């Protein structure tokens, strides 16, 4: 029992109280011994009940502390089992000794006890020397793994949603570009107005269809220049296609130029 609680019963204040009672009892003996005896008996009764009250207090307090300790341990155990974080303990032979249900759920199994963490999680084999943190993929989920070699402890945190959101954020970043048709004016020189108008209409239609197909915002700023807005996903797709629209427009101009010459 803590000392500050014990002082509640036999601190200095109780010592002074019983000392005062003994002095008063002695004084009563000097004046009237019968009254002194009665006072002594009353003091003894008071001391007895005080001692009994202290014992009862100690017993109740010990029972309360024991109950509280049990509740705290049980709550701690339940919290560990319900945590959305995997916890795995292994021994000196690198064999799993204990893990919480989250780890078993990661692999869709009941238990990993007795197995090697490296065999259960092959992604851990990619860990570099002295590396204490890495990311691994388990059944289409991504986990942040934190290693505690001194405690022979491994933590697993599911970061799939975070990674998905980060990827989405990067892909949806806005990009702006300008499409220029080099030598378009030169290509239309020598053409009559009707042929030139037909060719420009074909070029505009082809570019508009290309923008719609690739989900681009398109705005014409001059006869041979277009402003385009897109996200990073669309930009990567255009880079992979090497801006095929330029070749398509070039084919249209050559085709119309050849038709006009013949």
């Amino acid at each position: 029992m803590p000392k500050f609680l014990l002082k509640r019963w036999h601190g200095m204040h109780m010592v002074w109280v019983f000392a005062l009672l003994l002095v008063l009892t002695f004084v009563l003996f000097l004046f009237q011994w019968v009254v002194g005896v009665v006072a002594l008996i009353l003091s003894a009764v008071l001391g007895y009940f005080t001692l009994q009250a202290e014992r009862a207090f100690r017993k109740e307090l010990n029972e309360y502390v024991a109950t509280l300790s049990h509740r705290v341990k049980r709550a701690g155990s339940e919290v560990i089992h319900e945590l959305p974080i995997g916890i795995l303990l292994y021994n000196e032979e690198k064999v799993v000794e204990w893990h919480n249900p989250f780890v078993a759920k990661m692999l869709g199994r009941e238990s990993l006890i007795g197995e090697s963490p490296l065999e259960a999680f092959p992604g851990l084999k990619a860990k570099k020397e002295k590396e204490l943190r890495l990311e691994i993929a388990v059944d289409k989920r991504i986990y942040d793994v934190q290693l505690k070699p001194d405690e022979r402890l491994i933590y697993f945190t599911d970061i799939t949603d975070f990674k998905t959101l980060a990827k989405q954020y990067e892909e949806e970043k806005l990009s702006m570009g300008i499409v220029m048709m080099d030598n378009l004016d030169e290509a239309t020189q020598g053409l009559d107005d009707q042929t030139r108008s037909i060719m420009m209409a074909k070029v505009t239609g082809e570019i508009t269809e290309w923008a719609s197909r690739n989900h681009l915002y398109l705005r014409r700023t001059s006869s041979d220049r277009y402003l385009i807005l897109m996200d990073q996903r669309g930009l990567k797709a255009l880079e992979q296609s090497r801006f095929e629209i330029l070749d398509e427009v070039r084919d249209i101009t050559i085709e119309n130029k050849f038709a006009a010459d013949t």
Side-chain angles (χ1 to χ4, degrees):
M1 180 184 297
K3 292 183 178 179
F4 73 92
L5 290 175
L6 289 175
K7 288 180 179 180
R8 170 184 171 182
W9 293 108
H10 48 74
M12 290 301 299
H13 65 286
M14 296 300 297
V15 174
W16 284 110
V17 168
F18 281 102
L20 181 60
L21 286 175
L22 290 176
V23 171
L24 292 175
T25 302
F26 178 74
V27 171
L28 289 174
F29 261 111
L30 294 179
F31 290 96
Q32 183 59 258
W33 69 271
V34 176
V35 177
V37 170
V38 173
L40 182 62
I41 295 173
L42 291 176
S43 298
V45 171
L46 179 61
Y48 172 78
F49 282 108
T50 300
L51 182 61
Q52 290 297 109
E54 179 186 353
R55 290 177 177 175
F57 173 74
R58 287 191 179 193
K59 181 180 179 181
E60 291 176 0
L61 181 61
N62 289 333
E63 290 177 352
Y64 173 76
V65 171
T67 302
L68 182 61
S69 177
H70 173 70
R71 291 176 60 193
V72 170
K73 289 181 180 179
R74 187 176 64 181
S77 177
E78 291 180 356
V79 167
I80 290 176
H81 279 75
E82 297 298 329
L83 275 177
I85 298 176
I87 304 175
L88 183 147
L89 292 171
Y90 57 91
N91 58 22
E92 296 178 353
E93 286 75 33
K94 301 293 179 65
V95 175
V96 178
E97 288 187 324
W98 177 89
H99 60 79
N100 66 345
F102 186 93
V103 176
K105 186 178 179 181
M106 289 170 58
L107 299 176
R109 298 165 56 182
E110 292 185 1
S111 176
L112 279 69
I113 295 176
E115 300 183 22
S116 167
L118 296 179
E119 295 299 329
F121 302 99
L124 295 177
K125 296 178 181 179
K127 183 183 79 69
K128 298 179 182 178
E129 186 177 359
K130 296 183 178 181
E131 186 178 19
L132 300 179
R133 198 154 196 166
L134 71 157
E135 295 178 3
I136 64 172
V138 179
D139 193 22
K140 299 181 180 180
R141 306 291 295 182
I142 302 174
Y143 296 89
D144 174 68
V145 181
Q146 188 174 359
L147 306 172
K148 300 283 187 179
D150 294 337
E151 292 82 13
R152 298 193 292 275
L153 178 64
I154 304 177
Y155 292 107
F156 299 88
T157 305
D158 191 340
I159 58 172
T160 306
D161 294 339
F162 171 77
K163 285 292 185 179
T164 302
L165 186 61
K167 181 180 179 181
Q168 182 179 352
Y169 169 75
E170 291 295 330
E171 290 180 344
E172 292 181 354
K173 281 185 177 179
L174 187 64
S175 299
M176 181 175 65
I178 296 177
V179 178
M180 294 184 62
M181 303 299 170
D182 295 336
N183 303 321
L184 185 61
D185 291 336
E186 295 179 7
T188 58
Q189 287 181 357
L191 300 178
D192 57 65
D193 292 341
Q194 182 179 3
T195 304
R196 185 176 185 278
S197 298
I198 293 174
M199 187 183 72
M200 293 301 297
K202 288 183 178 180
V203 170
T204 301
E206 190 68 29
I207 294 176
T208 302
E209 182 182 350
W210 168 77
S212 177
R213 187 169 62 247
N214 290 279
H215 308 288
L216 310 177
Y217 170 79
L218 179 70
R219 184 176 182 83
R220 185 174 182 176
T221 59
S222 64
S223 60
D224 61 348
R225 183 174 301 180
Y226 295 84
L227 173 68
I228 57 173
L229 296 177
M230 74 213 85
D231 55 25
Q232 288 292 320
R233 188 190 298 110
L235 177 60
K236 290 181 180 179
L238 294 181
E239 290 174 346
Q240 292 176 356
S241 67
R242 298 183 179 181
F243 294 90
E244 58 185 9
I245 185 62
L246 300 178
D247 295 331
E248 294 174 0
V249 170
R250 187 181 299 110
D251 293 341
I252 292 175
T253 57
I254 293 175
E255 179 183 345
N256 281 269
K257 185 73 174 177
F258 178 76
D261 293 339
T262 56

